[in-house]
């Protein structure tokens, strides 16, 4: 169970899946849509999601080859849950930032967290 949650809850997987549920999408479109992802991470993410049965990769016999990815029914079901989670995160983003700021302003520095105590 944890391996599946780790895969679908990964930083890049959510963005890729959300884009692929909108219909067939090409690599370059995903690269533009998923902010901050490298080509290598996108390639790995696509392979893993395809392996897990969440994406279908179709290669069209054109020159150059046209490759598209589309979400499976299982991925579309998952995205309904992910949409709720992302909406929750958006609603509570400001409160989370305030809580972090309050915590950081009162908590003593912890060793190993890059806090400099002077030279």
């Amino acid at each position: 169970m944890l391996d599946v949650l780790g895969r679908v809850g990964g930083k890049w997987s959510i963005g890729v899946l959300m884009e692929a549920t909108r219909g067939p999408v090409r690599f370059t479109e995903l690269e533009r849509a998923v902010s901050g992802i490298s080509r290598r991470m996108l390639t790995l993410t696509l392979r893993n999601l395809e392996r897990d049965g969440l994406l279908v990769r179709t290669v069209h016999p054109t020159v150059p080859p046209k490759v598209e990815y589309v979400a499976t029914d299982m991925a579309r079901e998952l995205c309904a849950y992910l949409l709720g989670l992302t909406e929750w995160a958006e609603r509570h983003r400001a409160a989370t930032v305030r809580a972090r700021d309050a915590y950081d302003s009162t908590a003593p520095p912890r060793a190993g967290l890059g806090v400099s105590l002077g030279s």
Side-chain angles (χ1 to χ4, degrees):
M1 174 185 74
L2 291 178
D3 60 327
V4 174
L5 289 174
R7 174 91 73 216
V8 299
K11 179 178 183 178
W12 306 116
S13 297
I14 293 172
V16 169
L17 287 171
M18 297 304 274
E19 289 298 319
T21 59
R22 295 185 178 115
V25 63
R26 298 182 67 181
F27 185 93
T28 54
E29 295 169 330
L30 286 168
E31 195 174 28
R32 283 191 299 268
V34 181
S35 180
I37 194 167
S38 69
R39 293 179 77 83
R40 175 163 167 65
M41 280 310 303
L42 180 54
T43 299
L44 291 172
T45 301
L46 289 168
R47 282 185 191 155
N48 286 328
L49 293 173
E50 183 182 5
R51 181 175 179 241
D52 289 345
L54 296 169
L55 290 180
V56 172
R57 179 179 183 263
T58 304
V59 180
H60 300 278
T62 60
V63 178
K66 178 181 175 183
V67 180
E68 292 180 321
Y69 298 89
V70 67
T72 63
D73 289 341
M74 184 168 56
R76 281 191 282 282
E77 178 185 349
L78 170 63
C79 282
Y81 294 103
L82 292 175
L83 185 59
L85 179 61
T86 56
E87 288 170 352
W88 175 89
E90 276 298 316
R91 277 194 315 276
H92 298 286
R93 181 190 310 217
T96 302
V97 169
R98 287 191 304 274
R100 288 177 184 168
D101 290 344
Y103 179 90
D104 292 346
S105 70
T106 61
R110 292 178 19 190
L113 295 179
V115 177
S116 175
L117 299 177
S119 40

